[in-house]
Amino acid sequence: MLMKKYILLLSLIIFALALLGCETEFKLKGMSDEPKIYVYGLVGMSDTTVLRVCKTVPLNGITDPDVSREVSEISLTVDGKKVELAKADENTPGVPKGYWWTTDDIPGGSEVILTASADQAKDISSSFNMPDAFPAFEVIYTSAPAFKITFTDDGCTDDCYAIMVYGECTRIKDGETKVTVRACEPYEPDEDFGMETRKDYLDVDMNDGTARLWSDAEFNGKEVSLSLEVWSYIDGINNSKYDEVRERYKAVIYRLTPEFFRYAEVQNHLDHNTLASIGLAPASFTYTNVTNGLGLFAGAAVAETEWFE
């Protein structure tokens, strides 16, 4: 059965390649030439809230390449109180140039609202309720390396959950010690016919690595056990070059507003829709919770385990 699917997929690819030899001129119709404001902000990931807010350049229509992509006004409020935002320049540590940032505390349960304006674009707005702190949890670690996190879901919210594992590698040679830390990649499920194998989680890009994400619909007030096994940090390292090599791991766990799961779910469809990428199926729709704009504005509560060897 599996072989038949691969033969069918191969036939479709050959057909698509044959179509590439045909040349057809067409005009883009029905596309707006109005710029929109794009937002990406995941509040609560660190002590510093970082927001990317800019104006898009329309694909259709005449656009001056020198026109500013900056927003003219931006406002962030927490429970009705305005938060002062600063704009990063090339000297701002840890924040990309042109992004907006603040170190003001944004407590759990608060209503967070973002608005912005830009020349020739409609005013945008977006909001969410900040998640409460991650609930008390228990940790089981095995040297696979793998983590199992157990806690009780808050049945009053639709918040989703994610885990990311970081590895620390210590290399010692001739009395010199080098320590490096990086996010570890989860094991990937087998894929069939260009689409992701059915499962109850998503693997999504987050920060500097890949996190495993679960929807609240899987739990809804029940006891939750989230498991994640990752590739060993020291796989592929030539240990014979060093006098000693040590590794240890910790898990970072996230409680995220439901908007993040909806955004990640759509992005997952886009990333794994192989037939759409070769023009043999419609592309998936995107998701945004930004009124009159594009992107994502969501919140997170973060906790982490101790290091395990």
Side-chain angles (χ1 to χ4, degrees):
M1 183 66 179
L2 184 60
M3 181 59 68
K4 289 181 179 179
K5 289 184 177 181
Y6 282 122
I7 292 173
L8 176 59
L9 178 59
L10 181 60
S11 300
L12 291 173
I13 293 173
I14 293 173
F15 176 71
L17 292 174
L19 291 179
L20 293 177
C22 304
E23 183 175 320
T24 303
E25 292 187 6
F26 64 93
K27 294 182 179 180
L28 296 174
K29 296 182 180 179
M31 296 187 66
S32 172
D33 59 0
E34 178 184 77
K36 291 183 177 292
I37 296 175
Y38 170 81
V39 173
Y40 189 87
L42 194 50
V43 179
M45 296 294 283
S46 68
D47 294 337
T48 302
T49 295
V50 178
L51 304 173
R52 184 183 183 189
V53 186
C54 61
K55 188 172 69 175
T56 63
V57 177
L59 181 63
N60 193 32
I62 299 174
T63 303
D64 181 356
D66 296 324
V67 70
S68 174
R69 295 182 61 196
E70 304 296 328
V71 293
S72 54
E73 293 184 19
I74 184 171
S75 174
L76 181 68
T77 62
V78 177
D79 282 340
K81 181 180 178 181
K82 188 170 182 178
V83 174
E84 292 298 324
L85 291 171
K87 191 174 184 180
D89 57 24
E90 59 274 7
N91 298 316
T92 306
V95 181
K97 181 181 178 181
Y99 285 42
W100 298 86
W101 62 279
T102 181
T103 55
D104 285 13
D105 180 51
I106 301 181
S110 57
E111 183 184 32
V112 186
I113 301 175
L114 176 72
T115 60
S117 303
D119 185 40
Q120 299 180 342
K122 291 182 179 179
D123 295 351
I124 63 96
S125 64
S126 188
S127 65
F128 63 85
N129 291 321
M130 191 70 181
D132 289 323
F134 202 96
F137 58 89
E138 296 180 356
V139 182
I140 297 177
Y141 172 77
T142 61
S143 57
F147 283 87
K148 182 177 181 180
I149 310 294
T150 302
F151 59 93
T152 300
D153 173 56
D154 182 355
C156 298
T157 74
D158 294 326
D159 295 339
C160 57
Y161 301 97
I163 305 177
M164 181 181 289
V165 172
Y166 286 86
E168 179 188 86
C169 182
T170 301
R171 303 176 182 91
I172 301 174
K173 184 175 178 62
D174 299 331
E176 294 187 5
T177 301
K178 181 179 180 181
V179 179
T180 54
V181 178
R182 74 177 185 193
C184 299
E185 288 296 309
Y187 278 116
E188 293 284 349
D190 293 333
E191 293 187 357
D192 183 17
F193 199 47
M195 296 296 290
E196 203 171 20
T197 304
R198 182 175 177 84
K199 54 186 184 292
D200 64 351
Y201 60 81
L202 302 174
D203 285 343
V204 299
D205 293 335
M206 186 183 292
N207 288 347
D208 50 358
T210 303
R212 185 150 290 175
L213 175 70
W214 289 264
S215 164
D216 177 78
E218 303 293 332
F219 315 120
N220 197 21
K222 303 175 184 176
E223 183 177 85
V224 179
S225 291
L226 306 181
S227 298
L228 178 58
E229 185 173 350
V230 297
W231 293 98
S232 169
Y233 192 152
I234 63 174
D235 281 350
I237 294 177
N238 185 358
N239 294 344
S240 62
K241 292 174 56 178
Y242 302 95
D243 300 326
E244 183 180 357
V245 177
R246 298 195 304 268
E247 60 181 326
R248 62 177 187 165
Y249 299 88
K250 72 174 180 180
V252 180
I253 49 181
Y254 305 88
R255 178 178 182 176
L256 302 123
T257 54
E259 296 86 2
F260 183 84
F261 186 86
R262 297 175 195 135
Y263 184 87
E265 187 174 36
V266 172
Q267 189 61 49
N268 182 72
H269 290 316
L270 289 169
D271 291 343
H272 292 87
N273 194 344
T274 304
L275 295 180
S277 68
I278 59 176
L280 296 179
S284 303
F285 291 99
T286 189
Y287 168 84
T288 182
N289 67 326
V290 180
T291 302
N292 293 329
L294 303 168
L296 172 71
F297 185 55
V302 184
E304 59 183 58
T305 70
E306 61 182 295
W307 287 98
F308 291 88
E309 297 184 356

